[in-house]
Structure formats: structure tokens, C-alpha cells
Amino acid sequence: MVNLPTVLVVEDEESFVEALKIGLKREGFRVEVARDGLQALDMFELVQPDVILLDVMLPKMSGIDVCRQLRKKTLTPIIMVTAKGAEIDTVVGLEVGADDYVTKPYRLRELTARMRAVMRRAPTSRGGEISGSIISVGDVALDPEQHEVTVRGEVQTLPLKEFEVLHILLANAGRVLPRETLIDRVWGSDYVGDTKTLDVHIKRLRSKIEEDPSNPTRIITIRGLGYKYDKQRSA
């Protein structure tokens, strides 16, 4: 018997729920549904999904708070669903650990492409992005095996995408990495989202590893190109 990937759909609008159940089942997913934020937390423990589709506006507990709670205990990929034009929800969702976002109304083909992309990049995937020996640059050390980052002797907890971005930057310290390269490596070559997703993750990383995030000396912006982890000033 084929084991289908399980998606936990957290949505309280019945029209969206029914359409997603039909569409996602047709695309080869097993679909479980939670209709409010508190139920989502309970269902997560019960279902142990492969990916979570999480609406921002929910009864009892917001999607942002659900995402924040889940990120304390799991790296399961989370895609936030926001209302059209709700940029602030998108940014906050990424800041609390969501892997990606879509806006309503969305196309099923785009949604499933994003779901498969974040699932491929999850720690349990066979892609091997999170593997290898410890990388140390100055007083920042990253252990891919343990999914652990140490900054100035203190352990920093990073969501999956922040960890992957930092992993690539550290492994290529001193080299300029184009924005497109980082997006392809972390989100996949089929990523169709907004490039500001990368900027949000860089901002969050700087808040955790820079001594002065407003004046970064480690993760340097190379205008018109991308980012570089500066070996000289990271020691």
C-alpha cells in the first residue's frame, strides 16, 4: 500500500476546506482538517503531518500564534495562507518560522508545487541539504547533523529555512552568492513566490548572529547581486 504524504489543512472557511480536500486528494495527498487554531495544535500531535497549510485568520488562536507554537517543537514545513494584499501577515508569518506563504485566491497547481518544494527541503527529505561536518567561521558554528547553531558560545534556535540560508552562507564564506542562487538552493528552482522572502530570512538571521543587526558585519548585502558572509570581519 502506498503511503501518501499527509497535509494538515488549518482553515475555517468551509468552501476552501471542501475544495482543498477534493483537489489535494486528487494530487496524491492524504488530507486532515483542523478548523481553529487550538484544534490545529491537537491535530498536529495526532496526525504528525508531512506539511501544514495554515490560514492566518482562525478562531480561538491565530495562525501566527499556531505557527509560533509549532516551531517550538517541530521543523515540519508550514505554508501560511493570507488574505490578498495582507503584507504584514506575510512578513510576521515568515518571522515566526513559516517556510512559505500563498495568498487567497490561489491556484491549486501553484499551491501543490510549493507544498512539494518545502517537503523536499525538510530535514527528513533525501536531498541531503542538511548533512555533513560542523562549519565554523569566527565565533559562529553550525552543526548540520544536530541542526544546531552556536553564536559566541550560545546556542541559537533557527527555523529550517534560516538554518539552510546560514548553512549555505557559511559554507561559501567570503564568496558573493547571488539572490537567485540562494533562493534556488533553499526554496528550489521551481519556487514562484516573492523574493522578499529571502530578505526577511536574512533580517532574522542578522538579529541572531550580528552584534549590531542594524550595522551588519557578517552577512553583508552586495547591492545588485546578493549576499556574502564576510570571513574577515566575522572573527
Side-chain angles (χ1 to χ4, degrees), residues 24-222:
L24 292 175
K25 285 179 181 178
R26 190 170 61 238
E27 290 292 326
F29 289 88
R30 185 167 72 91
V31 182
E32 300 288 345
V33 179
R35 289 177 169 80
D36 63 61
L38 293 179
Q39 187 183 25
L41 297 178
D42 291 338
M43 287 286 290
F44 173 80
E45 298 294 344
L46 180 66
V47 174
Q48 293 294 304
D50 298 288
V51 61
I52 302 167
L53 190 61
L54 178 61
D55 195 64
V56 170
M57 300 296 294
L58 293 169
K60 299 185 181 180
M61 178 185 285
S62 74
I64 299 296
D65 288 334
V66 171
C67 184
R68 185 180 287 114
Q69 291 299 314
L70 288 174
R71 275 294 170 258
K72 293 179 180 178
K73 57 185 176 183
T74 182
L75 293 173
T76 300
I78 298 173
I79 299 178
M80 301 293 295
V81 180
T82 68
K84 187 175 183 180
E87 182 174 344
I88 185 64
D89 287 340
T90 298
V91 173
V92 173
L94 293 171
E95 287 180 345
V96 298
D99 297 279
D100 199 358
Y101 69 93
V102 293
T103 56
K104 293 179 179 178
Y106 45 75
R107 295 181 179 180
L108 182 65
R109 181 176 296 179
E110 176 187 348
L111 176 63
T112 53
R114 293 193 184 201
M115 290 167 61
R116 291 189 173 106
V118 297
M119 288 169 60
R120 283 198 303 271
R121 301 287 167 168
T124 54
S125 72
R126 297 180 183 178
E129 284 83 3
I130 301 182
S131 62
S133 58
I134 295 174
I135 302 171
S136 297
V137 181
D139 54 13
V140 176
L142 181 146
D143 185 343
E145 297 287 350
Q146 300 298 320
H147 192 86
E148 185 175 274
V149 174
T150 304
V151 181
R152 294 181 285 280
E154 295 185 3
V155 174
Q156 291 285 340
T157 301
L158 301 184
L160 176 60
K161 293 305 178 190
E162 287 181 44
F163 187 90
E164 289 185 344
V165 171
L166 183 60
H167 188 177
I168 295 168
L169 288 170
L170 288 174
N172 294 275
R175 295 177 55 194
V176 177
L177 295 176
R179 295 170 58 83
E180 294 78 10
T181 298
L182 284 165
I183 291 171
D184 285 353
R185 290 280 300 277
V186 176
W187 284 272
S189 58
D190 54 357
Y191 178 69
V192 291
D194 197 315
T195 57
K196 69 184 176 186
T197 299
L198 174 61
D199 300 328
V200 171
H201 283 72
I202 292 291
K203 180 180 178 181
R204 283 160 37 189
L205 277 174
R206 283 171 170 163
S207 73
K208 295 171 182 176
I209 70 171
E210 297 279 0
E211 294 182 353
D212 179 7
S214 63
N215 183 32
T217 60
R218 299 164 188 262
I219 302 177
I220 308 299
T221 300
I222 309 299

